[in-house]
Amino acid sequence: MSAITGHQAAASDLRARYARLPADRRVRLAKPTSNLFRFRSDAGRIARLDAGALDRVLEVDPVARTATVQGMTTYEDLVRATLAHGLMPHVVPQLKTITVGGALAGLGIESASFRNGLAHESVREVEVLTGDGRLVTATADNEHADLFRGMPNSYGTLGYAVSLKVELEPVRRWVTLRHIPFPGASGASEAAEAITAICRAGSYDGERVDFLDGTVFSGNEQYLTLGRFADEEPYQPSDYTGQRIYYRSIQHREHDVLSTHDYLWRWDTDWFWCSRALGAQHPVGRLLWPRKYRRSDVYRKLVALDRRTGLSGRVRGWRGLPQEEPVIQDIEVPVERLAEFLAAFHSEIGISPVWLCPVRLRNPEGWPLYPMQPGRLYVNVGFWSAVPLGPGEEPGTYNRRIERLVADLDGHKSLYSDSYYTREEFEGRYNGPAYRELKKAYDPGGRLPDLYEKCVRER
Ligand SMILES: Cc1cc2nc3c(=O)[nH]c(=O)nc-3n(C[C@H](O)[C@H](O)[C@H](O)COP(=O)(O)OP(=O)(O)OC[C@H]3O[C@@H](n4cnc5c(N)ncnc54)[C@H](O)[C@@H]3O)c2cc1C
């Protein structure tokens, strides 16, 4: 049986299993990994649709530069298959177990996003198991173009992506890095100006820039990292999967070189910097932590276990420390508002480090459920930590502040983590009228949850 025939059988089987789920239960997609940061109690009547087996790369076409994959294929598997042909997806989200379907439904970004947009913008077609139980193929210009445009930021509330065809681009063997410091209080606005100039020219100091991201350690210490494909390694390549830690290297060296594979996964080994809280960056802890378990999905499982058991909260209580509010968010603001956002963030939230990633939509029409303005340059700001609650402060205080700040600066917030919007605000920010039309067309019976219920109410 060819991979495509095998896929058709698996997709029909998924559809049949979906039809058999009890009608009075809320459907939830079941797969072995997740990168969501909403830890739900699973209370209520849930029916799980196990889609974990739809995780294969079906075909890589090196001539057309496309790959056809099943919806639950991880980027780790897709990258392995495409690098073998000297190709990569246009945008590879940094965490290895993010899936191609998940990055479509929940959005994905990386350091190529200043030239290639969001991860889903290189999807050419998507086969969807819709809420009303059909299997349809949606493209930008067929009868399901509304679904094609509405899947991004729908979080599995219109249907599930069962297979996708994605565009690929050629790679070289190495990526050379240059970490440019922007010190001092004016560093953030200087970095924003540099981002604007680099994104406009596609180069810096006369050298092509293929990848661009940034790391903020404090209000006085910020860096942009410029990546450039190279055929030759100018010096000994680095390896940050061992004792050395990638994000720390940014503060200590101006130039570096990684294999393209290691560059794509540079943030996964230490989950950006979040492995620190689990002891994986302590010299002894790191020696003891087996290399194959230095991965974002392992750390996330440990954090999920802690959230379920409430262990670290109890330990803080025993030690007389204040409880903490998790603040795990990705937001984006227009580049010209970046310095303002960072200044307010440092004084009101105080988490560090912080990740920066410029992004400009590739599609001139934009995407209805995530209303970024086409043609406008934004900077994604990612922060994943916790803030101690002061006396009388309720959990939600700091996440609400971020929502207000983002709104004041004409930005947007991703929905993979906690949100506190009222329904009215949410509908205004995420195009409620367009969503309702899509829901009517693809899930009129409300078999799948509503987007607001799923992303805001279900905490
Ligand atoms: C700490 C942290 C850092 C992050 N950093 C980045 C980052 O730097 N870059 C980036 O790109 N993203 C980042 N993300 C966000 C991540 O890309 C999104 O959460 C993405 O949706 C996760 O995809 P997943 O495959 O793991 O899906 P899951 O976590 O399993 O699911 C996410 C949502 O999408 C739905 N879904 C999953 N698969 C499908 C499908 N096939 N069809 C329809 N709906 C589906 C699920 O129902 C769920 O609502 C980060 C998340 C966290 C927690």
Side-chain angles (χ1 to χ4, degrees), residues 6-20 49-51 53-54 129 135 162:
H7 166 71
Q8 285 161 349
S12 301
D13 173 60
L14 187 75
R15 182 182 180 205
R17 284 189 286 117
Y18 181 65
R20 288 199 297 272
L49 180 65
D50 189 348
L54 284 125
L129 173 61
L135 269 176
V162 174

Side-chain angles (χ1 to χ4, degrees), residues 20-162:
R20 288 199 297 272
L21 292 178
D24 61 341
R25 305 234 175 137
R26 295 284 297 274
V27 180
R28 183 163 297 167
L29 191 64
K31 59 205 247 312
T33 56
S34 171
N35 291 285
L36 271 186
F37 247 79
R38 289 192 294 272
F39 294 95
R40 293 174 280 218
S41 61
D42 256 10
R45 295 162 66 77
I46 299 291
R48 293 181 179 281
L49 180 65
D50 189 348
L54 284 125
D55 64 353
R56 306 254 162 88
V57 177
L58 300 173
E59 184 186 50
V60 176
D61 182 338
V63 178
R65 289 189 183 157
T66 57
T68 306
V69 301
Q70 293 182 302
M72 318 302 145
T73 305
T74 62
Y75 272 93
E76 180 175 29
D77 288 345
L78 176 56
V79 163
R80 188 181 301 120
T82 61
L83 284 186
H85 296 274
L87 297 166
M88 66 174 257
H90 281 203
V91 174
V92 178
Q94 303 86 340
L95 311 182
K96 288 178 173 172
T97 60
I98 291 178
T99 61
V100 183
L104 169 76
L107 305 184
I109 191 169
E110 229 288 277
S111 56
S113 288
F114 77 97
R115 54 188 179 86
N116 287 337
L118 295 168
H120 70 264
E121 296 197 89
S122 46
V123 171
R124 279 208 195 150
E125 64 180 53
V126 54
E127 179 190 18
V128 183
L129 173 61
T130 60
D132 58 8
R134 290 173 287 158
L135 269 176
V136 304
T137 298
T139 67
D141 48 18
N142 74 359
E143 75 270 33
H144 298 298
D146 56 346
L147 182 62
F148 182 81
R149 289 173 33 75
M151 280 295 281
N153 212 39
S154 66
Y155 279 90
T157 65
L158 300 174
Y160 297 122
V162 174

